[in-house]
Amino acid sequence: MPSIISSLSYQYKVFTNAKTDLKKQLSARNHGVAKDMVPPSILEKRYSVEASAKNGRPVYYLDFEQASEKPCILYFHGGAFLTGLSKKHWRFVRRLLFGTGCPVVVPDYPLIPEYTHRAILSFCMEIYLELLSKSPHGVILIGDSAGANLAMAVAQQAVQRDIPIPNRLLLLSPCLDLSGDNPIKNVLAYRDPVLEPDSCREVALLYAGSRSLSDPLISPVFGSMKGLPKVTVWTGDNDILYADSLLLKEALRKAHTPYHIYTYPDMVHDWMFERIPEGRKALRQIVMTIREYL
């Protein structure tokens, strides 16, 4: 049974027609609130925060002096490849810093519609390659939603290029199948108060550019899962992207790649960022998953 707070949150999303949010953002080409895209002052008061520029985009290094002692967490934020960093992402980063003691790197990667997967994924791959040389204890990759797509694609590219793979791969409400061909999503669409198929397809087309939506670079669930590190997933069965996690589970099983999938009943997209009991529980699991590796 979902908590009372999460049930109220679900009803609020239905009442406010949250499904239209992405459609409105796409129509306005809105990348989010600029002041929320930079680390908040509360982070800077407790942790060291350094910013550098990569191809004109900021990359934030938090407590990076710890990289000589612990693995580095590379976090790719969600936002449908359209919106930038937000308050919820920085709250999550703060939880990672406090709970693990690991340095965290947060790239503000390029966004659609100005850029396609070619520039976005290339940017993320370059950040990963740079971290390999700066983090002697390796890199832990984390991504939520669209960021999980980038995290999986980067890990697969590492395997294909025969370069060091991430220590662990953590995916939150992962968006891994942009093809739009999965019939399960049509069923889940009626239960999902956050995402709807039409907006998701528009996002997919903008991100893919001229490439097929089924190409593994666009939909990494169709790529090879062999050689990947252990994959841990958090998903909810009221999220239209739950269908992606089901595909991923089968692909990982066939490849004999170790994995664990936490499926929370009645939870919606990116619920782990919400201030609800289930969200707090998931954050503890995420931190403990990292700490177990350390």
Side-chain angles (χ1 to χ4, degrees), residues 4 15 55 70 89 95 100 145 173 180 193 197 213 220 245 272 283:
I4 294 175
F15 179 75
N55 298 336
K70 292 187 176 183
H89 299 129
R95 187 72 176 88
T100 69
S145 191
S173 287
L213 296 181
S245 294
M272 63 287 299
L283 289 181

Side-chain angles (χ1 to χ4, degrees), residues 65-85:
E65 63 275 8
Q66 299 298 322
S68 61
E69 301 176 8
K70 292 187 176 183
C72 178
I73 296 172
L74 176 56
Y75 170 52
F76 295 129
H77 68 84
F81 306 108
L82 172 71
T83 56
L85 289 154

Side-chain angles (χ1 to χ4, degrees), residues 39-50 62-63 65 94 97:
S41 58
I42 191 170
L43 266 179
E44 294 180 330
K45 288 178 181 178
R46 181 160 186 173
Y47 305 98
S48 66
V49 179
E50 299 178 10
L62 298 98
D63 267 10
E65 63 275 8
R94 185 183 178 194
L97 288 164

Side-chain angles (χ1 to χ4, degrees), residues 128-275:
Y128 176 73
L129 290 171
E130 287 184 2
L131 278 186
L132 289 178
S133 63
K134 297 177 180 178
S135 183
H137 297 282
V139 177
I140 295 172
L141 265 180
I142 304 180
D144 75 276
S145 191
N149 181 299
L150 296 171
M152 174 61 83
V154 165
Q156 289 174 334
Q157 287 290 297
V159 174
Q160 291 177 22
R161 299 186 191 184
D162 197 25
I163 59 178
I165 63 171
N167 298 351
R168 288 290 187 274
L169 186 56
L170 281 66
L171 309 178
L172 321 179
S173 287
C175 174
L176 303 173
D177 173 16
L178 275 63
S179 71
D181 295 333
N182 192 338
I184 296 177
K185 290 189 175 181
N186 295 328
V187 177
L188 292 172
Y190 293 99
R191 292 160 41 183
D192 188 336
V194 179
L195 298 175
E196 51 87 26
D198 288 345
S199 296
C200 290
R201 182 163 183 81
E202 185 175 349
V203 164
L205 291 170
L206 288 169
Y207 178 67
S210 60
R211 202 173 276 269
S212 167
L213 296 181
S214 297
D215 189 298
L217 284 178
I218 308 302
S219 298
V221 76
F222 301 128
S224 174
M225 300 295 162
K226 292 183 178 180
L228 293 177
K230 183 175 181 179
V231 181
T232 310
V233 179
W234 284 262
T235 184
D237 64 10
N238 273 342
D239 180 358
I240 194 173
L241 299 183
Y242 174 53
D244 296 29
S245 294
L246 294 177
L247 284 178
L248 176 63
K249 180 179 180 179
E250 182 64 14
L252 291 169
R253 185 189 66 79
K254 288 182 177 178
H256 302 287
T257 297
Y259 69 90
H260 188 89
I261 298 180
Y262 293 96
T263 302
Y264 278 62
D266 303 303
M267 291 299 103
V268 302
H269 187 65
D270 267 0
W271 50 271
M272 63 287 299
F273 294 113
E274 295 188 26
R275 292 167 172 172

